[in-house]
Amino acid sequence: MRRAGPITRVAAPTATVLPLRGLITGPPPTSHRLTTTPTSAPLPHPTPLPAFKLPATSQEGKPLYVPGTAEERQARHVRMSSPLRRGTHESWWTPERAFFNAVAKTIPTYRVLDEEGHLVRGAQVPDVTKEEAMAMYKTMTLIPIVDNVLYQSQRQGRISFYMQCAGEEAAVVGSAAAMLPDDEFFGQYRESAALLHRGFPLNSLMAQCFGNVEDTSTKGRQMPVHYSAPEFGFHTITSPLATQMPQAAGAAYALKLDESRQGDCVICYFGDGAASEGDFHAALGMNSVLGGPCIWFCRNNGFAISTPIIDQYAGDGIASRGPGYGLDTIRVDGNDAFAVLGAVREARRRAVEGKKGVLVEAMTYRVGHHSTSDDSSKYRAAEEVKEWSIVDNPIHRLRAFLVEKGWWSEPEEKAMLAKHKADVLTSFKRAEKMPKPKLGEMFNDVWAVKRGEEVPRVIMEQRAELGRLLKKYGDAWEPWRRERKKFVEEGEDVIDCDGRGT
């Protein structure tokens, strides 16, 4: 553990696919039905930021950021509330930041700002300065640009894989902003915005996605988006679902026992799909019994890859499970950055003071695909994604609040987005040109050995075998000759290796 410190489209044949549900924002379906969809359905990518424009004004004198008549807006509001009811029974909005630790008939959803960025009646904005609010907004507007560049680069074959944060910016950034510098982060794989908000450089992020020589934490051996940053308390992301949860429970217990770390806290991110894994129950059970300050932060984004929440569980969301483990629990509007900030701040206070776990369920929506290996048009309609992107955009909501407060303007927006784009492209181009680490790095850090001791024989044998193969085929076979040039020293560090290493 870290110590403190214009394409012409060609019509394609149709094919029968698996049963497709209607809009998740509509009423529950009464039956499954077969339908057809073009096999060439376009793959959506992260939606660009909403256009900056001054709003119209309602009869009450309030600015309107969501287009349409009053009737249309009301109908949309009802539809946008449906996922809460379908995935979490009859949950209702509340401005009260109330935690619970007993089973209730229904669980409310805490929010501060509505879909148009207005303060909800009876709600209070968390104690946040202009600088803090602007820092959150700048990270929330940076990550879509990062996502767009890296997503498209994967489609071009320049990186192997990518996962987006689109639609969940408020949940990730709002929670990260509530934590302190020495806290420990266990991410799933959509928390790159949390890393950026904590100061992780763009160059380091790009280095990991390209696996180049500057990827000092995972040394080019991890898939893209599997970040690791010990200097920011960010533990290495792993691909298997929910494996970070028992690790987080152990880290929280270690903090509880370490007198020098009193006041520090763990936050563990996971999705609604991960909550169906056994590790979820093992981790919460361990934390509830052994204790340790830990915030269990669930991004309930509506889907576990292609499985909607209505097919995942019959209970009242994920929050209903908290009392069963004796955890203080709250459900929050995950598209409301201020509600997330306030909820996680209070969750952190409870966790640290009580040296225990606290569960936060953030209700949000995954706008992008699950990953670049997924085509979400096979299991949800494009209209659904578009509606969430326009009507309940977390970035739009926070920006509307900032504009209404007089903290932000159109010229500032244009300048910021231009800088974001320039910075991202500069880091991207730099990372792409850098070589990969030495080939010998793949054999390091497999076993922990003391200084001066030899690594296990099996590792030395594998290293020597690679050296022999490179010596035999490295110059004779074009694919190997071409690939060798991508690595520092072109593999010379393992050629003629005697198999010994320390």
Side-chain angles (χ1 to χ4, degrees):
M1 181 180 293
R2 179 184 63 103
R3 300 287 294 179
I7 300 175
T8 302
R9 300 192 182 276
V10 180
T14 59
T16 300
V17 297
L18 294 174
L20 187 69
R21 291 197 180 277
L23 296 182
I24 204 169
T25 48
T30 56
S31 64
H32 291 267
R33 66 185 187 278
L34 288 177
T35 186
T36 59
T37 186
T39 56
S40 60
L43 296 175
H45 51 77
T47 305
L49 296 179
F52 191 104
K53 60 181 180 180
L54 293 178
T57 304
S58 67
Q59 293 180 351
E60 295 81 11
K62 290 185 176 181
L64 298 179
Y65 290 87
V66 179
T69 65
E71 292 77 13
E72 291 171 336
R73 292 170 58 246
Q74 178 60 26
R76 280 173 171 166
H77 174 74
V78 171
R79 291 199 302 274
M80 298 306 286
S81 297
S82 294
L84 289 175
R85 291 199 296 269
R86 290 183 62 192
T88 56
H89 288 241
E90 295 292 333
S91 184
W92 68 95
W93 301 120
T94 177
E96 298 180 9
R97 192 177 64 204
F99 286 72
F100 65 96
N101 201 329
V103 177
K105 182 179 180 181
T106 54
I107 303 170
T109 304
Y110 168 59
R111 64 168 15 180
V112 174
L113 303 177
D114 64 18
E115 291 85 355
E116 297 178 357
H118 302 313
L119 189 65
V120 174
R121 181 180 299 176
Q124 290 185 339
V125 176
D127 185 13
V128 58
T129 65
K130 175 183 176 180
E131 290 72 24
E132 292 171 331
M134 290 310 310
M136 292 171 61
Y137 182 65
K138 288 178 179 179
T139 305
M140 289 171 62
T141 52
L142 172 62
I143 195 62
I145 298 174
V146 173
D147 279 355
N148 269 300
V149 170
L150 289 173
Y151 180 94
Q152 298 302 335
S153 72
Q154 191 279 336
R155 287 291 181 249
Q156 297 163 359
R158 298 160 84 169
I159 62 173
S160 62
F161 179 80
Y162 195 68
M163 302 188 80
Q164 311 154 41
C165 184
E168 303 176 50
E169 297 90 351
V172 175
V173 176
S175 56
M179 306 303 288
L180 297 184
D182 291 333
D183 291 338
E184 306 289 337
F185 278 59
F186 288 80
Q188 186 161 339
Y189 34 55
R190 299 192 196 279
E191 284 72 51
S192 51
L195 253 179
L196 291 172
H197 195 72
R198 286 175 73 80
F200 193 59
L202 271 175
N203 286 342
S204 298
L205 184 144
M206 293 293 177
Q208 197 285 322
C209 287
F210 278 97
N212 66 29
V213 70
E214 286 195 345
D215 177 20
T216 57
S217 55
T218 62
K219 301 180 181 179
R221 298 173 298 192
Q222 273 277 26
M223 291 172 62
V225 309
H226 289 52
Y227 307 107
S228 178
E231 66 273 27
F232 296 102
F234 199 92
H235 294 252
T236 307
I237 291 175
T238 54
S239 291
L241 206 60
T243 53
Q244 77 278 12
M245 301 189 73
Q247 298 165 8
Y253 185 49
L255 289 185
K256 175 184 176 182
L257 300 179
D258 190 341
E259 289 297 328
S260 68
R261 297 296 301 274
Q262 299 305 297
D264 295 341
C265 188
V266 171
I267 183 168
C268 180
Y269 293 88
F270 62 100
D272 46 285
S276 297
E277 294 285 336
D279 279 349
F280 167 87
H281 299 283
L284 268 65
M286 175 180 174
N287 183 226
S288 65
V289 174
L290 297 180
C294 186
I295 299 170
W296 301 103
F297 190 87
C298 177
R299 296 176 289 94
N300 193 332
N301 63 21
F303 298 92
I305 307 183
S306 59
T307 306
I309 51 178
I310 55 173
D311 288 337
Q312 289 184 57
Y313 51 75
D316 189 3
I318 307 303
S320 63
R321 306 179 192 182
Y325 289 104
L327 304 181
D328 289 356
T329 303
I330 189 171
R331 175 177 290 152
V332 61
D333 181 352
N335 284 7
D336 179 353
F338 285 157
V340 174
L341 175 68
V344 175
R345 275 182 178 173
E346 175 60 17
R348 188 189 183 284
R349 183 192 69 79
R350 290 168 178 254
V352 169
E353 292 184 2
K355 297 183 180 180
K356 63 181 182 179
V358 181
L359 176 60
V360 179
E361 181 183 24
M363 307 305 297
T364 182
Y365 185 81
R366 195 193 78 208
V367 169
H369 299 306
H370 173 71
S371 73
T372 49
S373 302
D374 176 42
D375 179 2
S376 63
S377 69
K378 301 299 183 182
Y379 53 85
R380 63 179 180 179
E383 292 85 353
E384 174 181 323
V385 180
K386 182 178 180 180
E387 184 164 41
W388 276 91
S389 300
I390 294 175
V391 180
D392 194 10
N393 189 302
I395 299 174
H396 199 174
R397 288 171 71 170
L398 181 55
R399 183 180 63 192
F401 176 85
L402 298 175
V403 171
E404 193 170 353
K405 288 279 290 185
W407 290 354
W408 198 236
S409 65
E410 183 175 7
E412 292 173 302
E413 178 93 358
K414 290 181 178 179
M416 180 192 69
L417 295 182
K419 185 178 186 305
H420 281 348
K421 185 175 181 179
D423 291 344
V424 171
L425 290 177
T426 297
S427 291
F428 176 87
K429 293 174 183 177
R430 179 178 181 274
E432 190 174 29
K433 294 177 181 178
M434 285 193 165
K436 296 183 180 298
K438 293 181 180 181
L439 267 174
E441 280 288 358
M442 73 172 71
F443 303 104
N444 295 334
D445 310 318
V446 181
W447 266 277
V449 295
K450 296 180 180 179
R451 184 179 297 276
E453 291 185 355
E454 290 187 348
V455 300
R457 184 175 182 82
V458 64
I459 297 296
M460 296 188 293
E461 291 174 348
Q462 290 174 4
R463 183 184 178 111
E465 177 66 12
L466 176 59
R468 289 192 292 268
L469 290 170
L470 281 174
K471 188 175 182 179
K472 184 175 182 179
Y473 300 110
D475 292 321
W477 194 30
E478 173 56 27
W480 278 38
R481 184 165 61 247
R482 182 178 61 250
E483 286 299 313
R484 281 181 59 189
K485 295 182 182 301
K486 298 180 181 179
F487 293 85
V488 172
E489 297 184 7
E490 298 185 15
E492 294 290 341
D493 58 309
V494 296
I495 293 179
D496 293 328
C497 173
D498 63 359
R500 302 175 66 82
T502 59

